[in-house]
Amino acid sequence: MAMEAWSRFLDTFFNLDVIERYFPAIMKGVVVTIEIAAAVVVTGTLLGLVLAIVRTFRLIPMNALIVVFVDMFRALPPLVLVLLVYFGLPNIGINLPSFAVLWLVLALVLAAFAEEIFWAGILSIPKGQWEAARSTGLGFLGTLAYVVLPQAIRLTVPPLTNRTIAITKNTALGTVIGVGEILNQATTAQSFSGNATPLMMGAIAYMILFIPVVVFGRLLETRFAWRRV
Amino acid sequence: MTTGTPPILEIRGLRKKFHDVEILRGIDLLVLPQELVFVIGPSGAGKSTLLRCCNRLEEPSAGSVQVGGVDITARSTDINAMRRQIGMVFQSFNLYPHMTALRNVTLALVKVLRKPRAEAERLGMAALDRVGLANKARSYPGELSGGQQQRVAIARALALEPKVMLFDEPTSALDPELVGSVLNVMRELKRGGMTMLVVSHEMRFARDAADRVIFMDHGLIVEEGPPQRIFSTPSEARTRAFIAELGR
Amino acid sequence: MEAIIQQFFNLAIMERALPLILSGLKQTILICVLVIPLGLAGGLACAILSLSRLRIARWAAVAGIDFFRAIPPLVLLIFIYAGLPFAGLRPSPMTAVAIAFFLNTSSYYGEIYRAGIESVGQGQWDAARSTGLRGYQTLAYIVLPQAVRNVLPDLVSNTVEVVKLTSIASVVALPELLYSADMARSVTFNSSPIVLAAAIYLVMLWPIVRLISRLERRVAA
């Protein structure tokens, strides 16, 4: 009886035939997920850094715009943004492929969080650092580039890593608009095969991708723990 | 000190190992009622570890510690009941920053001794009064000077009416001008008959208040005796070197 | 310009969608009221477990926290909603959402509490234990109040994330705010209902996001 239940469980969640049949599809999903995640991380972090630097010039209207952008993208659920862009833009004549929509939205969300984190890092550098650098004849940009940012970015590594992990996990939202990432491949395969194994494969694929990153983030936090003291 | 009085604190063959390093290598020490015993020695000698083993903040690796005749290292002993009889004062005060001075003092009265709040506050005020800080009862630790914080910490231990008090470098974290106020409170305690085991570098205080001075090095008691003798004519070379170093 | 207003800010359509969207808002609030306290409690349990003296308990807590932080919440939700029926269990959308979000948010809250507890120095434990307080009393009266204060911005910030998270319940057809708005969109072929939903999320969360920025700067200072 127990044996039978066990074999039924295996058959439903770890069915070898299903694994073999849908492995290529899931792998394709893995590649898509990695591609989008990489694009989001690079563009989002860079845009966030640029916005934080622009903010140091303290041009009031510009900073107000940045703050509004940052707050909005921190407050809105990414799925709302995805649906808004995906269904809204075509109606005003802009057609973006679904992966571009996902990339655009997640990059903007990451940029908003990254800007806030970089800005907090820049603010945490004592004024004396600015004054010391300026007194040696370094200009504003030189001070920023050689003295302030290197220190500030060090402080931002742990929070930024954790936030980046959380946002790249949102690549799974792509399934809602038909981006062929892991979850999308897994649910499609599940409905074709009538078996839960592809879902299990998808979950395992996410584990393999993200557990190392989560553990890495934890290590970073321990290494940078002095910040909290 | 009459012979035959049972000791309040009785340490026998105490050893403590951290990983592979033996910090305490067999300590035997008796502290009699109303005695003030001073422990001196270079850093790393194991002084703090000795104190922390006396209320089992550190678990001894071997040996026994008896307080008032009760073996606190025995499994059957309710260590929390014993700990309130063993007051401890820390180098860094360790006051609870989110509570007023009075709440710092009354917390254990309410939660460990189960006193009604009103009685706990009366006892707490009395304890604060003994350290001269009744007027700061409503202040938070952050609003007090280091010396005042340490006196509140003494009141916190005192309020539980301990049989013995352990002082772990109580003045080391204080600005020089604040040391006196804490030492005065300790002098008052001595006068009131409190039994005390003190780790400190305040040699002047040791000279005129201590009954006995213990010199420790490398996890062992090197020599002990009345302060006059230890400070002026120590018999061990290591003690002499240490005291010469301090005197400079 | 006219087209943009027509497509995104069509007041007539918003007005027609409003009742549906408000009923969705009710569901969203219901999920929050269910999941936030559960997550806060579950997270605390995880954090306390991760401080345990038993190595196996510590290990299990950290592994659990990392596992559920690694898996995207949508994947977890679909796994529970679409996967469990294969094992003979048919959770309702609300049950599936509650389980998935509980697991996800507990791990995040757990990590935050853990950092908070670690930020309280050993001296506080020593002092409390030296007066005879037991471990759980020390945790409850001395360590947790300070820990929570130290990580308050993170706790609030994670709570905002939980509210945002509720939007993915729409994927399993739980008629919450976003699901209702998207239904109105698909009927009207107009994005204004989603803009309205976005506006509601903003009204709820913007003030809190502002507050977090302030809190973070105060703690950093």
Side-chain angles (χ1 to χ4, degrees):
Chain A
M1 190 61 196
M3 275 310 279
E4 194 186 311
W6 175 242
S7 82
R8 252 205 15 234
F9 171 79
L10 283 186
D11 207 49
T12 314
F13 288 96
F14 294 94
N15 187 312
L16 285 181
D17 290 340
V18 176
I19 292 179
E20 208 179 324
R21 196 153 12 118
Y22 291 103
F23 186 74
I26 301 281
M27 282 315 289
K28 225 165 75 192
V30 169
V31 172
V32 172
T33 294
I34 292 176
E35 281 171 354
I36 296 179
V40 166
V41 171
V42 172
T43 51
T45 317
L46 275 182
L47 180 58
L49 182 59
V50 168
L51 289 176
I53 291 172
V54 169
R55 207 165 159 189
T56 57
F57 294 117
R58 297 188 190 264
L59 307 166
I60 289 168
M62 187 56 127
N63 283 9
L65 278 180
I66 293 176
V67 170
V68 168
F69 161 75
V70 167
D71 281 5
M72 276 190 45
F73 279 79
R74 292 208 310 169
L76 283 175
L79 187 53
V80 174
L81 293 164
V82 166
L83 294 185
L84 203 54
V85 173
Y86 184 72
F87 291 112
L89 289 190
N91 284 332
I92 55 169
I94 305 171
N95 278 296
L96 290 177
S98 54
F99 82 85
V101 170
L102 185 61
W103 164 68
L104 180 69
V105 167
L106 295 186
L108 288 176
V109 171
L110 178 55
F113 279 99
E115 191 281 335
E116 186 70 15
I117 292 170
F118 284 129
W119 178 242
I122 291 173
L123 284 188
S124 72
I125 304 303
K127 224 172 146 204
Q129 293 289 310
W130 286 93
E131 288 168 353
R134 297 304 291 274
S135 75
T136 62
L138 272 180
F140 179 85
L141 282 178
T143 305
L144 193 62
Y146 302 119
V147 179
V148 176
L149 280 183
Q151 302 182 55
I153 288 176
R154 230 183 105 83
L155 297 176
T156 59
V157 168
L160 194 58
T161 309
N162 283 333
R163 185 55 74 178
T164 305
I165 296 169
I167 290 169
T168 46
K169 273 162 44 188
N170 280 333
T171 50
L173 297 181
T175 192
V176 177
I177 55 171
V179 179
E181 45 68 62
I182 301 173
L183 181 59
N184 190 267
Q185 301 285 2
T187 48
T188 310
Q190 175 241 321
S191 57
F192 272 116
S193 65
N195 185 288
T197 305
L199 289 181
M200 188 60 93
M201 292 168 74
I204 292 172
Y206 276 107
M207 302 275 91
I208 295 173
L209 278 186
F210 281 105
I211 283 190
V213 201
V214 168
V215 172
F216 175 69
R218 178 188 293 285
L219 286 181
L220 276 181
E221 266 198 346
T222 334
R223 249 201 68 198
F224 287 76
W226 49 267
R227 195 176 70 93
R228 282 197 177 273
V229 177
Chain B
M1 268 180 286
T2 48
T3 46
T5 328
I8 291 225
L9 180 66
E10 183 173 354
I11 301 169
R12 292 261 176 237
L14 183 67
R15 288 173 179 273
K16 175 64 186 175
K17 249 189 187 164
F18 286 105
H19 307 293
D20 287 336
V21 190
E22 200 161 36
I23 303 291
L24 297 179
R25 301 190 294 154
I27 300 281
D28 295 284
L29 177 63
L30 299 183
V31 180
L32 300 178
Q34 310 203 349
E35 205 180 12
L36 195 168
V37 175
F38 226 77
V39 183
I40 60 171
S43 62
K47 305 175 306 258
S48 287
T49 308
L50 173 63
L51 287 199
R52 292 168 64 86
C53 283
C54 290
N55 63 356
R56 259 175 70 191
L57 282 182
E58 304 290 354
E59 211 61 57
S61 309
S64 72
V65 177
Q66 293 196 13
V67 174
V70 180
D71 185 356
I72 65 159
T73 54
R75 279 202 164 269
S76 55
T77 306
D78 178 358
I79 186 63
N80 296 305
M82 288 308 294
R83 274 183 180 144
R84 66 148 197 93
Q85 303 182 23
I86 311 165
M88 186 155 195
V89 176
F90 301 85
Q91 179 177 353
S92 49
F93 327 140
N94 295 343
L95 288 184
Y96 315 134
H98 60 304
M99 294 180 179
T100 62
L102 183 60
R103 275 277 283 156
N104 263 276
V105 177
T106 56
L107 183 72
L109 289 171
V110 175
K111 302 297 177 189
V112 179
L113 295 187
R114 306 269 162 212
K115 303 248 189 232
R117 184 156 298 249
E119 193 194 343
E121 295 203 345
R122 192 174 53 71
L123 293 171
M125 286 307 292
L128 283 173
D129 194 43
R130 281 183 72 180
V131 300
L133 286 175
N135 59 336
K136 297 287 185 190
R138 307 276 160 214
S139 301
Y140 283 87
E143 301 161 358
L144 301 174
S145 76
Q148 291 170 333
Q149 289 189 51
Q150 192 60 299
R151 280 146 67 198
V152 172
I154 292 174
R156 175 172 69 186
L158 203 55
L160 297 165
E161 296 179 354
K163 289 192 175 132
V164 52
M165 286 182 77
L166 312 170
F167 289 82
D168 189 3
E169 308 213 18
T171 57
S172 300
L174 295 178
D175 292 335
E177 72 271 20
L178 301 176
V179 169
S181 67
V182 171
L183 294 183
N184 282 339
V185 167
M186 291 170 69
R187 252 185 218 105
E188 278 303 312
L189 291 180
K190 164 78 180 150
R191 206 165 298 151
M194 177 62 71
T195 310
M196 297 191 265
L197 184 59
V198 181
V199 170
S200 167
H201 295 295
E202 298 293 337
M203 296 304 151
R204 286 253 313 275
F205 179 70
R207 262 178 207 281
D208 51 60
D211 298 299
R212 204 150 40 108
V213 174
I214 308 275
F215 175 71
M216 272 181 79
D217 197 11
H218 291 115
L220 288 170
I221 293 179
V222 176
E223 78 173 292
E224 62 176 290
Q228 304 311 331
R229 190 183 71 68
I230 296 285
F231 288 129
S232 38
T233 54
S235 46
E236 297 287 326
R238 270 187 288 173
T239 320
R240 218 167 354 217
F242 177 75
I243 285 164
E245 188 68 25
L246 275 185
R248 278 201 305 187
Chain C
M1 196 62 210
E2 188 60 29
I4 292 179
I5 292 178
Q6 266 305 310
Q7 181 58 29
F8 292 100
F9 302 96
N10 190 322
L11 289 181
I13 287 179
M14 283 187 185
E15 202 180 322
R16 260 172 48 207
L18 189 63
L20 186 60
I21 285 183
L22 284 183
S23 76
L25 177 60
K26 245 187 242 163
Q27 289 289 311
T28 292
I29 291 173
L30 183 66
I31 303 175
C32 291
V33 168
L34 191 64
V35 169
I36 293 172
L38 275 179
L40 281 168
L44 188 57
C46 282
I48 290 172
L49 212 58
S50 77
L51 292 170
S52 161
R53 270 192 219 182
L54 287 176
R55 183 172 310 198
I56 183 117
R58 275 203 312 264
W59 189 87
V62 172
I65 289 176
D66 280 359
F67 181 87
F68 288 110
R69 287 204 313 163
I71 197 154
L74 182 56
V75 175
L76 192 57
L77 175 59
I78 289 187
F79 191 88
I80 289 171
Y81 185 68
L84 285 190
F86 287 96
L89 301 165
R90 293 196 178 276
S92 69
M94 189 51 109
T95 312
V97 162
I99 297 172
F101 290 5
F102 166 71
L103 293 174
N104 176 267
T105 56
S106 300
S107 67
Y108 275 92
Y109 279 126
E111 187 64 10
I112 295 170
Y113 282 123
R114 210 181 51 78
I117 292 172
E118 278 179 5
S119 75
V120 177
Q122 181 64 33
Q124 293 289 309
W125 288 93
D126 287 350
R129 297 309 297 273
S130 80
T131 62
L133 287 178
R134 288 166 192 281
Y136 71 89
Q137 290 176 317
T138 306
L139 193 67
Y141 302 121
I142 306 301
V143 176
L144 275 184
Q146 297 180 59
V148 167
R149 204 169 56 174
N150 290 352
V151 293
L152 194 59
D154 293 337
L155 284 175
V156 178
S157 166
N158 195 52
T159 306
V160 169
E161 292 302 313
V162 178
V163 179
K164 287 160 64 182
L165 185 68
T166 59
S167 65
I168 71 169
S170 60
V171 178
V172 295
L174 197 159
E176 48 66 72
L177 182 49
L178 181 58
Y179 183 87
S180 313
D182 196 47
M183 210 148 87
R185 176 200 60 77
S186 64
V187 174
T188 58
F189 299 104
N190 186 294
S191 291
S192 302
I194 298 192
V195 171
L196 180 57
I200 293 175
Y201 282 113
L202 278 183
V203 168
M204 288 194 294
L205 298 180
W206 196 329
I208 311 179
V209 167
R210 277 286 84 221
L211 178 78
I212 296 167
S213 293
R214 292 255 176 93
L215 282 177
E216 266 168 358
R217 232 149 268 159
R218 214 191 52 200
V219 170

